[in-house]
Amino acid sequence: MNRIFRIIIGSGVAVFFIWLALKNINTRELIKSIRQTEISHIVMAIFVFFAGYSCRIERWRLMLINENPKLNWTECAGPLMASVAANNVLPFRAGDIFRAIKFNKQLRISAATSITTLFVERLLDLLMIVLFLGVALAYFGMDSSRLIGIGGGALLSGGAIILFLLIFPSIFKPFAYWLSKAISRVFPKFGQKLDAEFTKIFTALEHTSKGSTMIKLICWSFAAWLSEGLVFWFIALSIPTISYDLAAWLALPVGTLATIIPSTPGYVGTFDYFTGQAMTALGNREESSIAFAFIVHAVLWLPPTVVGGLYFLINPIKKTK
């Protein structure tokens, strides 16, 4: 019942934001803007999109090789793209669940390591979003509190906290082991298993937080998000009615942050509305901005869904007994 309720709420949120995005839009002008799109720039955007995901795959591989040093890029590519495809079409972040538990045997890693890398990935991505948002706001001379509801100081503090958690994860180790010991007094077997899982988790975190490893992870993260920013920018260049294409670099972090709002798989509505708002905030027409948001959304959604879906077809997930 709770899942059904969440699906209904998410669908309602998506419909509401689609309505907000389109309520003042001239439909003819919107269609005209989409039809005028230059395909060559879209092709470039798709090419850069896959370059960005190549960086994400390498970043994930670097996090996993502490447990499986022989793991190569190709072995990681399929599971990562498949998980993105699942997230795009299934509710409740099902793709993350698949990646956490369904591919471990073929990757020769533990579930604890897989789950830990998902957590580190989220922190790295959030750090990059904060970085790109801060740079965009500074470049365009905009007040962050008016645009996203928080001040520049809060944004800077948030970034610093994320970086601290990435570099010093061991700060949570005493509490984790205290918890496992406390549980062991009541449930000995479960406490022992929890203690073993905590050991795997902190082993993985110690690997990712090492100076040389963390620098590589941050660099690959930056390359991945720079590539995604170029996707936004190439699509802005593809629409002749976009008067200020550099606004795409503001739309990147704003649209991405909007995906935190509960919605449907693929973030229908929330992403489109806030991406369009970021474009209009810098002087672009509403019809052109929404056309931009829809095309960006299609480019970010369709390629990984097709590639990941093909991986699922070729390598179907077997039910665990």
Side-chain angles (χ1 to χ4, degrees):
M1 183 62 71
N2 186 40
R3 288 185 177 183
I4 294 173
F5 180 73
R6 286 170 63 186
I7 290 172
I8 292 171
I9 293 295
S11 300
V13 169
V15 170
F16 173 70
F17 278 104
I18 285 291
W19 172 77
L20 277 181
L22 296 176
K23 69 173 184 173
N24 296 319
I25 295 297
N26 183 314
T27 307
R28 288 185 179 180
E29 290 298 318
L30 174 62
I31 294 171
K32 183 180 177 181
S33 293
I34 293 174
R35 284 180 173 175
Q36 289 177 341
T37 302
E38 297 177 11
I39 299 301
S40 60
H41 285 100
I42 300 298
V43 172
M44 284 296 298
I46 294 172
F47 175 81
V48 173
F49 170 84
F50 280 115
Y53 264 84
S54 296
C55 297
R56 293 175 187 271
I57 293 164
E58 177 59 19
R59 179 182 67 177
W60 191 38
R61 189 192 72 83
L62 283 174
M63 287 191 272
L64 297 177
I65 57 173
N66 186 56
E67 186 165 346
N68 179 9
K70 295 181 179 180
L71 198 61
N72 61 50
W73 186 93
T74 306
E75 289 177 294
C76 297
L80 188 141
M81 296 306 296
S83 70
V84 174
N87 278 338
N88 283 346
V89 298
L90 299 174
F92 313 120
R93 303 288 300 182
D96 290 346
I97 298 171
F98 288 154
R99 186 145 65 107
I101 62 177
K102 293 293 185 180
F103 301 112
N104 298 330
K105 188 175 180 180
Q106 71 185 67
L107 295 173
R108 303 175 299 284
I109 58 172
S110 66
T113 296
S114 186
I115 293 168
T116 302
T117 60
L118 281 170
F119 173 71
V120 174
E121 271 187 15
R122 295 295 176 268
L123 287 179
L124 285 166
D125 288 339
L126 191 55
L127 179 65
M128 290 300 111
I129 292 167
V130 169
L131 173 64
F132 275 80
L133 179 59
V135 171
L137 290 171
Y139 179 82
F140 296 119
M142 301 183 72
D143 182 359
S144 62
S145 60
R146 293 181 62 183
L147 184 66
I148 59 173
I150 60 173
L155 200 63
L156 185 63
S157 298
I161 291 170
I162 295 166
L163 191 59
F164 179 83
L165 291 174
L166 286 167
I167 297 174
F168 303 107
S170 59
I171 193 173
F172 297 106
K173 188 183 286 188
F175 172 76
Y177 286 120
W178 171 85
L179 181 63
S180 65
K181 286 180 180 178
I183 292 173
S184 294
R185 295 190 186 102
V186 183
F187 305 103
K189 289 185 178 180
F190 179 72
Q192 288 174 4
K193 288 182 179 179
L194 190 62
D195 190 79
E197 292 304 311
F198 279 146
T199 299
K200 293 176 185 177
I201 288 169
F202 283 107
T203 298
L205 287 173
E206 284 168 8
H207 166 67
T208 60
S209 64
K210 284 179 184 176
S212 58
T213 304
M214 182 52 64
I215 290 171
K216 290 177 183 177
L217 293 177
I218 290 175
C219 288
W220 282 115
S221 298
F222 181 78
W225 282 97
L226 180 63
S227 297
E228 193 146 324
L230 289 171
V231 170
F232 279 65
W233 185 50
F234 278 127
I235 293 172
L237 291 173
S238 77
I239 304 173
T241 52
I242 291 287
S243 58
Y244 192 43
D245 55 82
L246 288 179
W249 291 97
L250 177 64
L252 165 68
V254 172
T256 304
L257 282 173
T259 61
I260 296 172
I261 301 171
S263 183
T264 61
Y267 315 110
V268 175
T270 51
F271 176 87
D272 308 287
Y273 173 73
F274 286 100
T275 299
Q277 287 294 297
M279 295 298 287
T280 55
L282 289 171
N284 291 295
R285 293 173 55 218
E286 288 190 15
E287 288 79 7
S288 303
S289 298
I290 294 301
F292 167 82
F294 285 168
I295 296 170
V296 168
H297 203 160
V299 169
L300 295 180
W301 185 89
L302 188 59
T305 304
V306 171
V307 172
L310 287 173
Y311 181 84
F312 272 127
L313 288 174
I314 298 169
N315 305 277
I317 294 177
K318 297 178 181 179
K319 291 184 180 179
T320 55
K321 295 181 180 180

